[in-house]
Amino acid sequence: MNRDEMYARLRARAGRWDLLVVGGGATGAGVAIDAAARGYSVLLLEQSDFGKGTSSRSTKLVHGGVRYLEQGNISLVMEALRERGLLLGNAPHLVRDLAFVVPNYDWWEAPFYGLGLKVYNLLAGKYGFGTSRILSREETLERLPTIKTEGLRGGVIYFDGQFDDSRLLINMAATAYELGATLLNYVRVTGLTRDAEGFIDGVIAQDAESGEEFRAQAEVVINATGPFTDELRRQADASAAPMIAPSQGVHLVFDRSFLPGDSAIMVPHTSDGRVMFAIPWHGHTLIGTTDTPVDGAALEPVALEQEIDFILSTASLYLAHQPSRADILSVFAGIRPLVKSGTGGGTAALSRGHTIHIEKSGLLTICGGKWTTYRHMAEDCVNQAAMLARLPETACVTGHLKLHGFHPGADAFGPLRVYGSDAPSIQDLMRANPELAEPLDAALPYTGAEVVWAVRHELARTVEDVLARRTRALFLNAKAAIRMAPRTAGLMARELGRDGDWQTQQVRSFGEVAGNYCPISVVS
């Protein structure tokens, strides 16, 4: 999977594509997989890197959504629990079960949450990850040794899923590619084209690297741009009423000592009405999230001071060692593309269900939803697109389609586990050149071989692509990622045939982005 091959496919296409997907996040990549698996021709265009926006900035959970159960949205919970089970079967190298403990400090919490989580477990049916039960005080402390003990009565344990979001997305892009789809990052759609009757029949696009502009026609154009949904809709119809109510979520990352066990903490009610999680992730502790309505979407959203303070203060209510700003290794923000309800109120109350909307111009928009349900969203979208475009009717086959990297024994690869079946090839790179086996920085396990692999096989084009989304260095430890940038740029320049000026520019650009992930000075 490399850029030259993608462009070769693009130029070899003589006629119209069946589906042209705008947006390279979870939804767009999911649509590309589903459509290509049905035998349709697919072109996907992403303005930046795959997952640059929302899809790399989640809470790293594959879950049904306990809060949606409380809201009474049983259908969404059941759909997500089923999809959670399917995803574990299709990508076991990236998805795993995780124990969550709800600590109880009041007498009513154990029976109240115990019953609710029992229902949650029952709704999962054959896709369940484990049995929920009430824990004693001693059992709770055994699982959460750093929890506040004063007033602790016990807890309730339940099981959900955890994953690496952007690693899954890259594997999804590779899966779509292997099924015949053409996917290009750093290609921005600058305009929409129309047929003689005024219906949209393609796009005008520009390659951000070369500046080259080209046109591509399709039977149906799909808007899967997440937070940027309304921007593309307004290109189709300047009077289009907004569909998206963007909400910002922020997460803080700390070292493992704040949550040294293998269990996560779930706080069912925070002062802003959200659920908060503290979870072990890649040898670190991730705590979030907030829910702050924002006016618009940005490719690189920045955490607000009050969001950081809110997470720190909420975490301090449950952790014996209260985290401070000095303890934060990285802070990242993401924009949720929630669908407007038309009833006002806060975004925490908006449904995470998805919406498919067909404009008068023929543009098909899919928005809303959540990471866990991407596959079902894609199935719905392709069904609608095929009917709209009068494509041959073909059944969805993604329910049990193994994703690229599928490997049931990936744990044996250690830090390379997330690469699944690709891990042995990365190990071969290390054996062929021992220098590539050395960590890029002592604080994290990532190596030069992973940089080379990302460039050769995963469409990485910038230092940020490698350190933020092919590896998770920036999300785990921003200062360490900044230290990694020069060596990463050097390895990439060798692979891409770039010069010293390119390396300097890349290190500078990455430093500017990484500064937003550092809540305090970025001095090494």
Side-chain angles (χ1 to χ4, degrees):
M1 187 171 69
N2 63 70
R3 199 171 177 81
D4 290 342
E5 169 63 18
M6 295 299 186
Y7 264 108
R9 289 186 178 188
L10 177 68
R11 292 177 177 126
R13 186 77 191 175
R16 294 156 69 100
W17 301 85
D18 290 331
L19 285 80
L20 195 158
V21 183
V22 185
T27 303
V31 170
I33 290 173
D34 188 294
R38 300 192 201 199
Y40 301 140
S41 59
V42 181
L43 173 63
L44 181 150
L45 303 177
E46 162 57 43
Q47 65 172 327
S48 182
D49 185 34
F50 303 114
K52 163 72 173 178
T54 303
S55 296
S56 65
R57 301 167 184 273
S58 73
T59 311
K60 323 306 178 192
L61 299 180
V62 181
H63 62 147
V66 173
R67 183 162 55 86
Y68 314 137
L69 178 63
E70 184 183 10
Q71 292 172 352
N73 197 339
I74 303 298
S75 60
L76 176 61
V77 173
M78 292 187 70
E79 173 193 328
L81 289 172
R82 178 177 184 271
E83 292 301 320
R84 180 192 71 174
L86 293 176
L87 190 52
L88 175 64
N90 292 334
H93 60 300
L94 285 167
V95 180
R96 64 171 67 203
D97 63 305
L98 179 64
F100 288 79
V101 176
V102 182
N104 301 156
Y105 290 90
D106 287 309
W107 66 268
W108 57 267
E109 290 179 314
F112 180 79
Y113 294 124
L115 177 61
L117 292 169
K118 183 68 70 177
V119 173
Y120 185 71
N121 187 58
L122 288 172
L123 291 175
K126 67 179 181 179
Y127 298 105
F129 275 28
T131 303
S132 62
R133 64 184 179 90
I134 294 175
L135 300 177
S136 67
R137 186 177 191 275
E138 291 69 27
E139 289 174 312
T140 301
L141 287 171
E142 184 178 349
R143 286 190 169 271
L144 303 175
T146 55
I147 197 77
K148 269 193 173 178
T149 58
E150 184 179 352
L152 181 69
R153 293 171 175 265
V156 179
I157 188 171
Y158 73 101
F159 294 84
D160 239 322
Q162 182 182 43
F163 77 140
D164 185 314
D165 48 14
S166 68
R167 284 303 317 168
L168 177 59
L169 181 57
I170 296 304
N171 280 185
M172 288 166 59
T175 304
Y177 164 74
E178 289 160 358
L179 291 168
T182 301
L183 306 92
L184 284 165
N185 51 353
Y186 294 103
V187 174
R188 182 179 181 83
V189 170
T190 57
L192 300 168
T193 61
R194 300 174 187 264
D195 62 18
E197 297 178 331
F199 291 102
I200 290 170
D201 67 352
V203 303
I204 304 168
Q206 185 174 43
D207 187 309
E209 291 187 6
S210 67
E212 176 187 355
E213 187 174 90
F214 65 86
R215 295 177 178 237
Q217 290 189 304
E219 300 298 334
V220 60
V221 175
I222 296 173
N223 176 10
T225 55
F228 303 97
T229 291
D230 289 329
E231 291 184 17
L232 191 62
R233 291 180 61 242
R234 282 192 290 269
Q235 287 192 43
D237 179 0
S239 65
M243 290 180 64
I244 298 299
S247 168
Q248 178 161 291
V250 167
H251 299 80
L252 308 184
V253 179
F254 304 88
D255 68 40
R256 182 177 171 81
S257 66
F258 286 90
L259 200 64
D262 295 326
S263 298
I265 301 172
M266 194 273 272
V267 178
H269 286 286
T270 64
S271 60
D272 77 340
R274 283 196 59 79
V275 169
M276 180 167 283
F277 296 97
I279 64 175
W281 188 63
H282 287 317
H284 293 69
T285 300
L286 184 151
I287 304 179
T289 176
T290 56
D291 194 305
T292 307
V294 292
D295 293 332
L299 266 176
E300 192 58 60
V302 178
L304 302 174
E305 292 298 314
Q306 59 265 36
E307 292 178 302
I308 296 173
D309 291 339
F310 173 80
I311 294 175
L312 289 173
S313 63
T314 303
S316 70
L317 299 176
Y318 294 89
L319 296 177
H321 174 43
Q322 298 184 6
S324 68
R325 280 180 175 260
D327 296 313
I328 301 172
L329 298 177
S330 185
V331 52
F332 62 92
I335 305 296
R336 302 182 192 90
L338 305 178
V339 180
K340 281 180 174 289
S341 66
T343 59
T347 53
L350 294 184
S351 170
R352 267 56 174 176
H354 66 274
T355 295
I356 294 174
H357 179 74
I358 300 174
E359 313 287 341
K360 292 181 292 185
S361 62
L363 177 70
L364 191 156
T365 292
I366 177 166
C367 56
K370 50 187 284 188
W371 237 121
T372 305
T373 59
Y374 86 84
R375 191 211 62 82
H376 181 61
M377 292 169 61
E379 180 180 357
D380 281 354
C381 181
V382 176
N383 286 343
Q384 294 290 331
M387 185 166 60
L388 181 65
R390 298 182 173 87
L391 299 174
E393 189 172 328
T394 309
C396 171
V397 298
T398 59
H400 299 284
L401 177 69
K402 307 306 182 189
L403 296 181
H404 178 91
F406 173 88
H407 195 297
D411 281 346
F413 300 128
L416 297 179
R417 174 188 192 275
V418 294
Y419 292 93
S421 60
D422 287 334
S425 297
I426 298 174
Q427 291 172 333
D428 288 343
L429 283 174
M430 295 177 180
R431 281 189 285 268
N433 185 350
E435 185 178 299
L436 293 179
E438 298 175 5
L440 296 169
D441 187 86
L444 294 170
Y446 303 119
T447 66
E450 293 173 81
V451 178
V452 172
W453 182 264
V455 175
R456 292 181 184 177
H457 303 287
E458 295 183 342
L459 291 169
R461 308 300 294 176
T462 71
V463 166
E464 185 196 331
D465 294 347
V466 171
L467 295 181
R469 290 171 292 278
R470 305 309 185 275
T471 71
R472 306 317 307 273
L474 180 58
F475 284 73
L476 293 172
N477 189 324
K479 291 182 182 179
I482 291 170
R483 295 193 296 266
M484 293 177 179
R487 186 174 173 213
T488 301
L491 290 168
M492 293 186 74
R494 190 169 64 191
E495 291 293 319
L496 295 169
R498 308 295 193 187
D499 60 17
D501 288 343
W502 181 88
Q503 294 182 51
T504 300
Q505 181 272 327
Q506 280 292 305
V507 172
R508 182 187 307 114
S509 295
F510 179 73
E512 291 171 357
V513 170
N516 292 326
Y517 292 69
C518 299
I520 54 178
S521 171
V522 297
V523 176
S524 300

